Amino acid sequence: MSLALRRRRKARLGHVLRVLGPGLVSGASDNDPTTVATVAVVGSTTVYALGWVALLIFPMLAVVQIIAARVGRATGRHLGELVLTRYGSRACTVLVVSVVAVTVITLGADLEAGAAALGLLLGVDLRLLVLPLATVILAMLAFGSYERISRLLEIIALAFLAYVISAFAAHPHWGAVLHGSFVPSWRWNSNYTSGALALLGTTLTSYVYVWETIELSEEEGRRTVPEAQLDAGVGAFVVVAVFWFILVATGATLGVHHHQVQTAQDAARALRPIAGPAATAIFGIGLLGSALLAIPVLMATTGYLVGGRRRWPSGLSHPPRQAGAFYATMTLALAIAVGISYLGVSPIHLLFAASIAGGIGTPVSLVFLLRISRDRATMGRWRTPQALSAAGWVVAVVVTAFGLAALFVG
């Protein structure tokens, strides 16, 4: 291979790596403790039978994330600001409530899961660790710059490799895995209906695509629209690939033995094939990494949406003295989450409930995103193509249908 060709390939690789950023962070934040615990529950109750739902989520998530990337990059504003400008304060209030209500519940679940992970690693009661963990994360957001926070989140995402490796180390029956992933099957019972909704809710959740628009609005045009779309698509692939491997690992180690997940220690058994006695520690590291990645995103999303609705100076690029109300909003959301975590609910059960809530609340904000993306006055020449928009509406209908099914099937 000639030196010139190697240089050209290296330059292309460097360009691709520079393009990847917000979509990867957004996708990685989607693999939060809610996702990890939800997939563990689904794997332990249905084994591989809902693998096809997991794979079906990739094109659905990719469509939504690509649309969000177009909106954020083309307008330079996040979804809350756009809805306020285009549809007024009442519509924006509906958006904020639909997202923030689910986000705060998820924040409480993820905070408790992060404390539980620390408890697994340190052998300490998780209730003693919730407040210190919350304090550290709040300080990170208050005193770190947006660029440093984004870079840190990208590094933390590497913790998910443990789940990918564990799937192979669990030695699953790959024929059954492939059958469950590519041959759809269905049973009308709570395990299947709630499990499918939870998978949809934990990945197609509002804060993920809202955060995509936030990140691109903060970047101030450092990427083109096509680059932003590529980044969003790659991020969607990463999140789906990781939780599919989690499903395989938990199905092979818990589901086949009919051992349903009740605690974080139960879920840790999914890593026992690779780590033996150290399974609990490795699971704790992965769970802690996912919490450290997701909690700042959840807090910041709440701050951006409420701040945008109230027209406050907002953004992680501003120090607290310039955006006091923005940081106060994040602090309040975190305080409520701390209260939720002290309710005494099992972390796994709280995480699973949060994903169900996400599946029910997501359609509201998704409708706003789809309407904005097709608005000519807002999007200009980057108005979402009709075919892509139609695919987005199909996703909204599917998520809504599963949400209604979960309400009527116990």
Side-chain angles (χ1 to χ4, degrees):
M1 183 185 299
S2 69
L3 179 60
L5 180 58
R6 285 200 297 268
R7 286 177 175 174
R8 285 197 297 271
R9 290 187 175 181
K10 185 177 181 179
R12 285 196 295 268
L13 176 61
H15 175 70
V16 170
L17 293 177
R18 285 192 299 272
V19 166
L20 301 180
L24 282 178
V25 171
S26 180
S29 71
D30 206 6
N31 271 324
D32 67 338
T34 303
T35 298
V36 175
T38 297
V39 177
V41 171
V42 173
S44 71
T45 55
T46 66
V47 194
Y48 315 122
L50 291 181
W52 63 275
V53 176
L55 294 185
L56 180 63
I57 287 173
F58 169 62
M60 298 171 67
L61 181 62
V63 164
V64 173
Q65 290 296 91
I66 287 172
I67 292 175
R70 289 179 68 93
V71 169
R73 175 60 189 88
T75 65
R77 292 183 290 173
H78 63 74
L79 184 59
E81 293 173 323
L82 294 169
V83 170
L84 179 63
T85 300
R86 184 66 180 86
Y87 301 114
S89 59
R90 290 185 179 179
C92 187
T93 299
V94 172
L95 170 69
V96 171
V97 170
S98 70
V99 176
V100 170
V102 175
T103 297
V104 172
I105 294 174
T106 306
L107 182 59
D110 287 354
L111 184 62
E112 185 172 354
L118 278 174
L120 288 173
L121 296 172
L122 303 176
V124 179
D125 189 329
L126 70 88
R127 290 171 295 182
L128 300 176
L129 299 171
V130 171
L131 192 57
L133 178 62
T135 302
V136 169
I137 294 175
L138 181 61
M140 180 183 75
L141 292 179
F143 300 108
S145 66
Y146 172 80
E147 290 76 13
R148 290 179 180 176
I149 293 170
S150 295
R151 181 59 60 187
L152 178 61
L153 296 181
E154 292 174 10
I155 295 173
I156 292 174
L158 295 175
F160 297 121
L161 290 175
Y163 300 116
V164 177
I165 298 172
S166 69
F168 289 96
H171 302 294
H173 187 292
W174 287 106
V177 172
L178 294 176
H179 185 274
S181 298
F182 295 101
V183 181
S185 62
W186 188 257
R187 296 178 187 174
W188 284 104
N189 60 49
S190 60
N191 284 342
Y192 277 65
T193 303
S194 296
L197 173 67
L199 288 176
L200 291 170
T202 196
T203 48
L204 291 166
T205 191
S206 51
Y207 83 84
V208 177
Y209 50 82
V210 171
W211 181 251
E212 180 78 22
T213 65
I214 290 171
E215 284 195 292
L216 287 165
S217 67
E218 283 279 6
E219 283 204 333
E220 298 179 348
R222 285 194 289 241
R223 301 167 209 273
T224 65
V225 170
E227 288 173 344
Q229 292 182 149
L230 172 63
D231 179 36
V234 172
F237 175 80
V238 169
V239 63
V240 173
V242 169
F243 80 69
W244 183 80
F245 281 115
I246 297 173
L247 179 67
V248 172
T250 53
T253 54
L254 299 175
V256 298
H257 297 294
H258 309 289
H259 190 109
Q260 294 187 18
V261 169
Q262 298 296 328
T263 66
Q265 290 89 334
D266 289 338
R269 297 183 185 184
L271 289 178
R272 189 172 299 278
I274 183 176
T280 297
I282 290 184
F283 183 84
I285 291 172
L287 194 62
L288 178 61
S290 67
L292 290 175
L293 192 150
I295 292 173
V297 172
L298 289 161
M299 291 173 59
T301 298
T302 301
Y304 276 97
L305 285 178
V306 175
R309 169 62 183 85
R310 303 296 297 176
R311 304 183 191 275
W312 294 330
S314 302
L316 295 174
S317 56
H318 299 296
R321 65 179 180 276
Q322 295 179 1
F326 168 76
Y327 285 94
T329 300
M330 291 197 299
T331 303
L332 177 60
L334 188 61
I336 295 173
V338 169
I340 292 174
S341 69
Y342 280 115
L343 291 177
V345 181
S346 164
I348 290 290
H349 290 161
L350 186 56
L351 291 166
F352 195 67
S355 67
I356 293 289
I360 296 173
T362 290
V364 177
S365 52
L366 185 53
V367 166
F368 280 116
L369 176 68
L370 295 173
R371 288 178 62 87
I372 286 288
S373 71
R374 285 287 292 170
D375 186 72
R376 193 182 301 276
T378 302
M379 296 293 293
R381 70 187 184 96
W382 293 112
R383 184 183 182 213
T384 301
Q386 189 170 0
L388 182 60
S389 179
W393 283 107
V394 170
V395 172
V397 170
V398 170
V399 175
T400 302
F402 273 101
L404 293 175
L407 293 177
F408 290 102
V409 178

